[in-house]
Structures are given as structure tokens and as C-alpha cells.
Amino acid sequence: MSELLARHRAVMPSWLALYYDHPIEITGGKGVRLTDADGNTYLDFFAGILTNMLGYDVAEVREAVERQLATGVVHTSTLYLLRGQVELAEKIARLSGIPDAKVFFANSGTEANETALLLATCARGSDQVLAMRNGYHGRSYGTVAVTGNRGWKNSALSPLNTHYLHGTDRDAPAFRAMSDAEYIDACVADLRDVLATATARDVACLIAEPVQGVGGFTMPPPGLFAAYKEVLDEEGVLFVSDEVQTGWGRTGTGFWGISEHGVVPDALTFAKGLGNGFAVGGVVARGDLMDGLTANGVSTFGGNPIAMAAANATLDYVLDHDLQANAARLGPVVLDGLRPLAELDTVGAVRGKGLMFSVEMVEPGGGAPSPQLASAVLEAARRRGLLIGKGGLRGNALRAAPPLTVDDADVREARDILVDAVTEVDAQAR
């Protein structure tokens, strides 16, 4: 493994992160478990950053891809009719709840969000965009411009004029004593103030994640985005829901994360889990909004036949097996077991929604965010056979989001391992 690591470092960029003091190479997978090059097996509770939504070696997805490969057609581009693309678009348009919806397919969440920003700015004739503090929307020039986390912003240069809103910072000194209703009122008042003082008219859109992924699974109280949308509608500002990590029933309370807030956005973006590992992303938006671009458009690889075969099979599996209900049922099993960790000196917060969980690690005594302790828990969990992730504004939030196909035994095993790992690190830190 050291030889492969040396080769990686010689030819890959230094900013391309690798987990663990001794990075692992994944060589096999079945169900919700993975095997590395040394023969170690792991329960996977990060799912390739929430991408392997059904887990590994899923017969329905594999066979759909094999059928497409057998035709000899791997690629044609959107210049030709693609049956699988049309079929998938019909399903997503129906599931979106957006009136007269149309769908455009891309290759990733970054591309999807770029497209949504293009649609909104063209429709409104404005480069002004509202985004959320601590949000993350991709690594491209445009999506970095609406990312509210310094750790993921490489440049202050921007094609957009972005203003950031509150919504997931309940722990800030100004807000921590407030009830949910009081906090929502304060956030809405701030939105009105931003529109009145910091922007010109014709703001293009608000883009927001219902649950902030890279941000450490932080989330606003239910109803915040509904309150925001009332103000946005007064001004004609569009609302884009970034569902790259929250789509397809993962939050349990709705098929889309925004369902928690009781609103239908003008557009929503998706990617990650839809292809169960195959590259697919896209935007579903009101037909008039999608049709509003005036220049030519094409996507070379977006919605290609292989990705569409995988995505159709994946979405059918999610619906046929009601995996949203599985997330709703099993989420509390994990979260209720993790909540007592909040009493430890090294744990600042425990939160979750459906099959998305986060534990924030802090320094004992002072409570300062501790990315070092988060890394220690990551290592301790791996030694016990559990793969999880990290994130958060300060890099101290542990993140767990397994395939939606996990069962009761899987989540109890993972929960207990994570509790043991955090408890071990807490004892060592005192």
C-alpha cells in the first residue's frame, strides 16, 4: 500500500484529500460492506460520499448496465434521442412536484448546480444570488462563488454577486437562546434587510441545501425555507433546492429534503446516489425556467446510455423497496443511540435526519472545535470496521450516511461502533 500511496502523491494534486494515517484501497464490495487490499472488511457508513445509495453489487443495477453494454452503444450524446434518458426524466419530473417540470442531465452535482445558476441568472437578468452561510455547492468557478465555507473557497474571484443568509447557525451567540420560531423570525428579518440594503432589484435566486452536507449535516429548523420563500416570492426571486445529498428519500420525512419545509422550489438539483456509483447529475425545473435559455445547448456525456440504465434501475429500486420509509424507520435507531454522547466533554453536538448523522468533536474544557479529535474518531472507527466521513465549517464534524438499504442489524452495529470510538477518544483526550 505504501508503494501505491507514493505513486498517488507523485501524480495527483496535493489538495486531493485522503482519509486515514494509512490510506486504504478498496478492492471489493457486497451489500453495505467493503473489503480493502489487505483483506480487511468494513461496514460502509459513508457510501462513497452518499453516492452508493443501494450499496454494492446490486443485481438490478448491474444487470441493467450489462443489458445496455450488450447493445454495443455506450455513448451517442444528446444530439440523438435517448430512450433511457426520456424515461428517467419522466419519473423525476413526476416525483419533483414542480409544475410542468423538465429535466436536464449532467455528470455531477457541481454541473447540476452550475446549470441551475445559469437558468436563474438568465431568467432574472441578474448576477445576484443568495446563498446560505456554511453551504457547499461544488468545486467549479461558479459553485465556489456560492459556497459559504472558507475551507472550500479557493478564490475570491467570482462570476456572481453573492450574499449569504443565516439558517444553520443556531449555536451562534446571537441566536442560541432563541426558540425555533424566534430564530426563524430573526432570519427572515435579516433576509429582508439584505434585500433592502445589500442588493439591487432582480436578485436571481436563493440556492440552499435542506441539510448542509459538507457543512456537517447542519440544518435549519423546519419551516425556515417556507418563511424565506414568502419573502422571495414578493420579490420574484427564484428558489433552487440543492438535493445532491438529501434527495431520493434519505431524510426519511420526504422524498426531497425540502419537503420538510412544505414548499415546492422553482428548481432542484440532484446527483450522487441516483446512479449508485455511475456518474449522473441534473436539474429539474419549471418548464418555462428550463426553456428560458436562448443560446444553443448540448451535453456530451450528461444522460449517457450507461448512466441512464444505472439510474433508472436505481430509482426503480428505491421506489419498489420504499427506501424512504427505511430511512424514516432506522434513522431514530441510530440517532437515539448517539444522543447520549452529547454529555461527553469532547462532544459539542449530535444531530441527524433520516439516514444522515453527525457528531461534532470539541476540545475538552473550552469546547473549541477539534478537527484533530474528529480525525482520531475516524481512525478509531476504521480500526473497529466502520467507515464514516468528516466535514463541518471547522472540520470537526463526523458524518455518517449509509446506503439506504441498511437493515436494523447494520445500523445497530454501526451505532455501537461509533459510540465506542467516540468514547475511546474522549477518554484519551482528558
Side-chain angles (χ1 to χ4, degrees):
M1 191 57 60
S2 59
E3 184 261 347
L4 182 60
L5 178 59
R7 290 166 58 192
H8 176 282
R9 288 175 172 163
V11 296
M12 308 298 282
S14 59
W15 42 261
L16 194 63
L18 286 169
Y19 275 170
Y20 308 118
D21 293 337
H22 301 286
I24 61 177
E25 178 191 5
I26 301 299
T27 57
K30 183 73 175 179
V32 297
R33 297 182 188 271
L34 293 170
T35 304
D36 69 15
D38 295 324
N40 301 305
T41 60
Y42 305 94
L43 181 56
D44 182 17
F45 261 56
F46 205 38
I49 319 180
L50 291 82
T51 300
N52 297 299
M53 184 163 63
L54 306 184
Y56 303 90
D57 194 24
V58 180
E60 289 86 344
V61 177
R62 183 182 66 251
E63 291 166 3
V65 171
E66 289 173 346
R67 285 194 298 272
Q68 182 59 45
L69 285 171
T71 69
V73 179
V74 173
H75 174 74
T76 61
S77 91
T78 54
L79 293 173
Y80 304 93
L81 287 170
L82 292 163
R83 184 173 299 274
Q85 188 178 94
V86 173
E87 291 172 346
L88 184 60
E90 290 171 338
K91 296 171 189 175
I92 293 173
R94 174 177 56 82
L95 291 164
S96 73
I98 295 173
D100 302 316
K102 290 191 175 184
V103 182
F104 175 80
F105 291 107
N107 301 288
S108 67
T110 294
E111 282 190 45
N113 286 327
E114 283 279 1
T115 303
L117 292 168
L118 180 63
L119 294 175
T121 54
C122 286
R124 296 283 288 164
S126 170
D127 68 348
Q128 298 178 103
V129 172
L130 304 173
M132 304 297 291
R133 297 183 183 199
N134 196 38
Y136 174 85
H137 300 286
R139 57 177 172 74
S140 64
Y141 192 50
T143 54
V144 164
V146 294
T147 287
N149 183 323
R150 180 186 286 184
W152 295 91
K153 291 180 82 75
N154 283 299
S155 174
L157 300 174
S158 171
L160 299 168
N161 184 0
T162 306
H163 301 277
Y164 293 97
L165 305 178
H166 297 286
T168 62
D169 49 4
R170 281 288 303 280
D171 293 332
F175 305 123
R176 64 175 56 138
M178 293 182 176
S179 67
D180 282 356
E182 291 168 337
Y183 178 67
I184 290 173
D185 287 345
C187 290
V188 171
D190 178 69
L191 168 59
R192 290 190 181 279
D193 190 60
V194 168
L195 291 172
T197 63
T199 70
R201 297 188 185 278
D202 299 326
V203 173
C205 69
L206 165 64
I207 184 169
E209 303 160 276
V211 179
Q212 294 178 331
V214 169
F217 293 165
T218 49
M219 65 196 83
L224 175 70
F225 288 127
Y228 272 175
K229 196 169 188 307
E230 288 185 13
V231 179
L232 301 179
D233 288 347
E234 292 172 9
E235 300 275 341
V237 180
L238 301 169
F239 180 38
V240 178
S241 184
D242 179 342
E243 301 276 354
V244 170
Q245 296 201 25
T246 50
W248 323 117
R250 177 165 289 279
T251 63
T253 53
F255 199 70
W256 308 103
I258 198 63
S259 303
E260 179 87 3
H261 297 265
V263 297
V264 176
D266 299 286
L268 61 81
T269 59
F270 56 84
K272 288 194 181 293
L274 179 59
N276 200 52
F278 287 85
V280 58
V283 183
V284 53
R286 291 194 336 251
D288 63 308
L289 181 58
M290 186 68 79
D291 288 341
L293 300 184
T294 57
N296 293 328
V298 69
S299 182
T300 302
F301 292 108
N304 69 79
I306 299 298
M308 294 297 93
N312 270 297
T314 299
L315 184 52
D316 288 346
Y317 192 103
V318 168
L319 298 172
D320 291 345
H321 293 80
D322 196 4
L323 295 187
Q324 177 186 329
N326 199 47
R329 180 176 64 88
L330 294 180
V333 174
V334 178
L335 193 58
D336 290 348
L338 296 180
R339 282 200 176 102
L341 292 175
E343 298 178 7
L344 300 177
D345 287 344
T346 57
V347 175
V350 175
R351 57 181 169 265
K353 178 72 67 177
L355 288 175
M356 304 176 80
F357 319 100
S358 181
V359 177
E360 285 197 2
M361 302 301 295
V362 298
E363 293 295 336
S370 180
Q372 294 80 15
L373 290 180
S375 293
V377 175
L378 201 75
E379 294 281 358
R382 183 195 58 79
R383 289 195 301 270
R384 290 170 166 81
L386 177 68
L387 302 183
I388 57 174
K390 289 191 302 179
L393 183 62
R394 296 170 181 84
N396 66 315
L398 299 162
R399 293 197 290 158
L404 298 183
T405 51
V406 289
D407 62 22
D408 188 79
D410 296 327
V411 297
R412 291 180 186 278
E413 179 184 352
R415 177 199 64 193
D416 293 347
I417 290 175
L418 186 53
V419 167
D420 287 348
V422 172
T423 303
E424 174 192 300
V425 170
D426 175 78
Q428 294 171 346
R430 297 187 186 185

